[in-house]
Amino acid sequence: MHIYLPIAGLSVNMLVIVLLGAGVGLLSGMFGVGGGFLTTPLLIFYGIPPTVAVASSATQITGASVSGVLAQMRRGGVDFQMGGVMVVGGIVGSGLGALLFRLLQRLGQIDTVIALVYVLLLGSIGGLMARESIATILAQRQGRKPVRRPRRHNPLIAALPGRYRFYRSGLYISPLAPFLLGVLTGVLTVSLGVGGGFVMVPAMIYLLGMAAQVVVGTSLFQILFVTAATTLIHAVTTEAVDIVLAILLLIGSAIGAQIGSRFAMKLKPEYLRLMLALIVLAVAVRMAIGLTWRPGELYSVELG
């Protein structure tokens, strides 16, 4: 069954889009990530224009984040002070990202830049995750305990002025650190259509040294507000939000997330991380091929 996407300007198979959303939702439920970093490349692979894929993915992430935030709030897993600082930084970053997005659009380089940044981000993060997961699995098989980093913030973070105590996170650091992290994720959200969780969560653990029990909830809290702001920015500036596409993705992801969360309970965390790393690397390789591969004939004429 085909449906016309008014902003993308093309007809797509509705079932394929819902299944794509379900696949990303399945991964989200299994691995605890927003899935936006996979949604945008998969939409581009399917033929959706990159600008529409970015803007519509952000809209889908907003809807998908609501249930996650509510669940974390009930468990006390959200540091509202830390999340509030990150939200402010994320909104500032969204504005900066929108300016960058418009500039690249005017230069005619937005499609190339989106693909290139995805290759760099996914390749580096996937590689780090794979290395850590393989090291943990090998250590377990050899009967050794995997080396775990102590929970402390980076020395550069400790050197920032104006410290403040974030009680839920167990930190006494400058608010500039989470603010700048929020700015970075805001730029990524507008530019790439990602929630930023796949960057934010490792940064919150390894750079800020946050307590693990509030990392996911605080990240989702920030993602919810920043992707909502991003959706508004894209709707007003780029006019690239395809609400029909976003709704189809949201329907699929809501179903897939429920199934994925049940799978996650049956698999060991290190194997889940390795599976996610391999998927991330596969997407990075596919996008790299798309950037470098050129057909033998750029144009062809078919006579009927």
Side-chain angles (χ1 to χ4, degrees):
M1 179 179 178
H2 282 72
I3 188 170
Y4 183 73
L5 302 179
I7 303 300
L10 50 84
S11 180
V12 297
N13 189 308
M14 187 169 67
L15 182 59
V16 169
I17 299 298
V18 172
L19 289 175
L20 190 152
V24 173
L26 180 71
L27 298 177
S28 301
M30 288 179 67
F31 305 121
V33 296
F37 69 99
L38 290 175
T39 305
T40 302
L42 290 175
L43 287 174
I44 294 172
F45 297 161
Y46 187 65
I48 304 297
T51 51
V52 177
V54 167
S56 302
S57 293
T59 307
Q60 182 249 350
I61 295 167
T62 302
S65 298
V66 174
S67 60
V69 170
L70 292 175
Q72 291 291 335
M73 286 173 61
R74 286 193 293 269
R75 290 194 287 265
V78 180
D79 184 336
F80 291 102
Q81 291 176 309
M82 181 71 75
V85 175
M86 289 182 174
V87 166
V88 174
I91 292 174
V92 173
S94 297
L96 295 175
L99 294 175
L100 177 63
F101 197 93
R102 293 288 288 175
L103 174 63
L104 292 172
Q105 270 190 321
R106 286 195 294 271
L107 295 174
Q109 299 298 319
I110 186 64
D111 295 358
T112 303
V113 170
I114 287 174
L116 183 60
V117 174
Y118 260 111
V119 170
L120 294 175
L121 271 178
L122 297 185
S124 58
I125 291 173
L128 290 172
M129 288 175 62
R131 186 179 67 178
E132 181 184 358
S133 301
I134 292 171
T136 302
I137 293 170
L138 290 176
Q140 289 179 346
R141 289 186 175 181
Q142 294 169 4
R144 296 182 288 109
K145 289 187 177 180
V147 178
R148 299 190 181 278
R149 293 182 52 172
R151 188 173 71 85
R152 62 173 182 268
H153 42 264
N154 188 280
L156 293 176
I157 304 297
L160 292 174
R163 291 189 178 191
Y164 181 82
R165 193 170 297 281
F166 296 92
Y167 291 98
R168 289 289 304 156
S169 297
L171 294 178
Y172 182 54
I173 60 172
S174 170
L176 278 173
F179 175 81
L180 292 174
L181 179 58
V183 171
L184 173 63
T185 54
V187 172
L188 291 176
T189 301
V190 173
S191 304
L192 303 179
V194 301
F198 72 107
V199 172
M200 184 183 299
V201 170
M204 291 164 76
I205 294 172
Y206 297 118
L207 293 181
L208 302 185
M210 284 181 62
Q213 60 267 27
V214 296
V215 166
V216 173
T218 306
S219 173
L220 285 172
F221 179 78
Q222 192 259 9
I223 288 170
L224 172 60
F225 287 97
V226 174
T227 52
T230 297
T231 298
L232 181 61
I233 288 171
H234 272 299
V236 173
T237 59
T238 66
E239 299 180 353
V241 178
D242 196 312
I243 194 65
V244 177
L245 176 61
I247 289 173
L248 292 175
L249 289 170
L250 188 56
I251 292 171
S253 63
I255 298 170
Q258 298 299 317
I259 300 172
S261 61
R262 295 176 183 174
F263 276 122
M265 297 173 63
K266 301 177 181 179
L267 296 173
K268 293 182 178 180
E270 57 271 15
Y271 287 98
L272 283 173
R273 287 196 301 271
L274 181 58
M275 288 171 59
L276 178 60
L278 294 176
I279 293 170
V280 168
L281 288 173
V283 174
V285 170
R286 171 61 180 81
M287 294 208 77
I289 292 172
L291 276 171
T292 56
W293 182 269
R294 289 293 181 269
E297 298 291 338
L298 294 178
Y299 302 97
S300 62
V301 177
E302 184 175 325
L303 299 177

